[in-house]
Amino acid sequence: MKILVTGGLGFIGSHTVVELANEGIEPIIVDNLYNSKEEVLEKLEKITGKKFNLYKYDLTEKENIERIFNENEIDAVIHFAGYKAVGESVKNPLMYYSNNLISTIKLLEVMKNHNVKNLVFSSSATVYGMQETPKYTEKMKRGDTTSPYGTTKAMIEKILEDLYASDNSWNIIILRYFNPVGAHSSGLIGEEPNGIPNNLMPYIMKVASGELETLNIFGDDYPTPDGTGIRDYIHVVDLAKGHVKALQKAPKGLNVYNLASGKGTSVLELVNTFERVNNLKINYKIVERRPGDLAEYYADPTKAYKELGWKTEKTIEDICRDAWNYEKNKMN
């Protein structure tokens, strides 16, 4: 079985390549290296002991995608590729709409031309927007997204729904992630955010490594047990395994799944766990809430368990240990 993995050198894509290879599935990687590094390929080969075919192509160029499909007998596509920085998307919305939507449409056109109609799409919990209950289920309607990045995810979901409505021979799996964190236990691959991170765990890493002095915690007056925001964190290896299970087990048709732990962890809980597990002190200060931040949200991942036989196996302790192990390896 050959699977095209778009954005396969990125954070989630690279971990998924490892899990596909572990299952005896052959990943073919396409990545334009906008938000990733070519050296990740070498690390993937070191972890798995296998060689991978890499195409350094941009998916907005249709002839590039045609070439991949002409040269390989592809069975399915896992589509990660896309710009993903929330702050950057707010500053440069046209770049996000242009890249994320056009690349996906061109990919789908080529898939259709080659009669490859099996797709796993990397979506996000951001498509839920603000819901009235903190526990998010797949039955909820998409809400108002809070950034152009999130809006591109919601728009692509709608494109996929319309495509399926027009031709139900497609098998489309939409995976909505909550907060992917952690790193591979080898310490060779992990998260590499650009600039000052928008997300909590990479921010903790930069403070732990001495790159930044202080972690800003946005608000401690939420209606939660310790006053800080609660989120659903999922280890990236668990998440990667969810993609493999989706390929192997999902029913035919169009299906949507939450991939998450189903448990909420507060900002202070995560910081305290990181300190305890790694025997480190993280300097932090409480600052004003960020506009648009919710007090609490987490997933109901029951559907993925029932239909895919998938659930998270790694703990918050594992997340903190593996993330710091990767960071230390980079510093050595």
Side-chain angles (χ1 to χ4, degrees):
M1 196 179 191
K2 288 188 180 180
I3 307 296
L4 179 64
V5 184
T6 75
L9 297 185
F11 176 42
I12 304 168
S14 60
H15 287 81
T16 302
V17 165
V18 170
E19 297 308 321
L20 288 166
N22 287 347
E23 287 288 308
I25 299 167
E26 184 182 341
I28 295 155
I29 302 168
V30 58
D31 200 303
N32 69 357
L33 305 179
Y34 175 79
N35 201 26
S36 57
K37 295 179 179 150
E38 193 170 354
E39 67 206 42
V40 171
L41 181 65
E42 195 179 304
K43 293 173 180 178
L44 294 176
E45 292 176 345
K46 189 172 180 183
I47 291 167
T48 62
K50 296 176 180 175
K51 291 281 181 191
F52 300 112
N53 197 356
L54 168 66
Y55 289 89
K56 290 181 277 186
Y57 287 168
D58 196 301
L59 296 182
T60 57
E61 304 290 336
K62 194 169 179 179
E63 59 270 26
N64 288 343
I65 312 170
E66 284 282 2
R67 195 170 299 125
I68 299 170
F69 278 78
N70 287 333
E71 291 177 6
N72 302 276
E73 289 284 330
I74 291 166
D75 297 293
V77 177
I78 304 181
H79 183 35
F80 295 105
Y83 296 157
K84 63 172 191 175
V86 171
E88 183 183 55
S89 80
V90 173
K91 288 179 186 161
N92 202 340
L94 294 182
M95 181 174 93
Y96 271 66
Y97 288 119
S98 173
N99 179 79
N100 292 5
L101 298 179
I102 289 171
S103 61
T104 302
I105 290 165
K106 290 190 184 300
L107 173 66
L108 293 169
E109 287 172 348
V110 174
M111 288 176 70
K112 185 179 177 184
N113 291 345
H114 287 261
N115 202 33
V116 177
K117 294 184 176 180
N118 300 309
L119 175 74
V120 178
F121 173 57
S122 161
S123 191
S124 165
T126 189
V127 303
Y128 287 113
M130 296 176 74
Q131 300 284 345
E132 290 186 9
T133 169
K135 190 174 185 177
Y136 290 6
T137 75
E138 295 90 346
K139 290 179 182 173
M140 290 174 167
K141 288 185 177 178
R142 284 186 291 265
D144 292 329
T145 50
T146 55
S147 70
Y149 157 75
T151 307
T152 65
K153 292 292 188 187
M155 290 171 84
I156 291 169
E157 284 197 10
K158 182 64 179 137
I159 289 168
L160 294 174
E161 289 166 3
D162 290 344
L163 176 62
Y164 181 73
S166 74
D167 177 3
N168 65 10
S169 66
W170 282 82
N171 293 307
I172 296 170
I173 303 161
I174 294 169
L175 300 180
R176 293 174 178 164
Y177 321 150
F178 280 66
N179 293 72
V181 281
H184 194 266
S185 58
S186 65
L188 292 174
I189 55 173
E191 191 168 8
E192 286 283 351
N194 293 328
I196 293 180
N198 195 53
N199 296 327
L200 177 59
M201 185 55 91
Y203 207 144
I204 291 173
M205 290 304 104
K206 287 193 181 284
V207 175
S209 66
E211 198 175 324
L212 293 173
E213 265 186 48
T214 311
L215 168 72
N216 288 335
I217 293 178
F218 298 99
D220 66 348
D221 56 351
Y222 287 105
T224 61
D226 63 21
T228 62
I230 288 175
R231 298 292 181 265
D232 191 332
Y233 297 98
I234 175 174
H235 197 295
V236 66
V237 171
D238 280 334
L239 183 58
K241 288 177 178 177
H243 291 76
V244 181
K245 287 283 192 190
L247 274 177
Q248 294 170 332
K249 304 273 190 182
K252 292 198 177 300
L254 187 145
N255 293 281
V256 179
Y257 298 98
N258 287 334
L259 291 189
S261 72
K263 300 186 199 83
T265 301
S266 78
V267 173
L268 277 178
E269 275 184 277
L270 191 65
V271 171
N272 293 338
T273 304
F274 183 88
E275 290 182 328
R276 175 170 51 79
V277 166
N278 296 306
N279 198 25
L280 279 171
K281 183 79 184 117
I282 298 295
N283 293 320
Y284 67 83
K285 64 180 179 184
I286 307 296
V287 297
E288 283 186 15
R289 294 184 186 189
R290 289 183 298 200
D293 272 1
L294 300 175
E296 178 179 13
Y297 68 87
Y298 53 93
D300 180 350
T302 306
K303 188 181 176 193
Y305 178 64
K306 283 184 176 173
E307 295 187 11
L308 308 179
W310 173 90
K311 64 178 179 179
T312 56
E313 296 170 350
K314 293 181 179 287
T315 63
I316 291 292
E317 284 80 5
D318 295 326
I319 284 167
C320 292
R321 191 179 297 110
D322 290 342
W324 181 235
N325 185 39
Y326 173 66
E327 195 67 30
K328 283 189 296 187
N329 269 6
K330 280 197 307 178
M331 293 190 290
N332 292 338

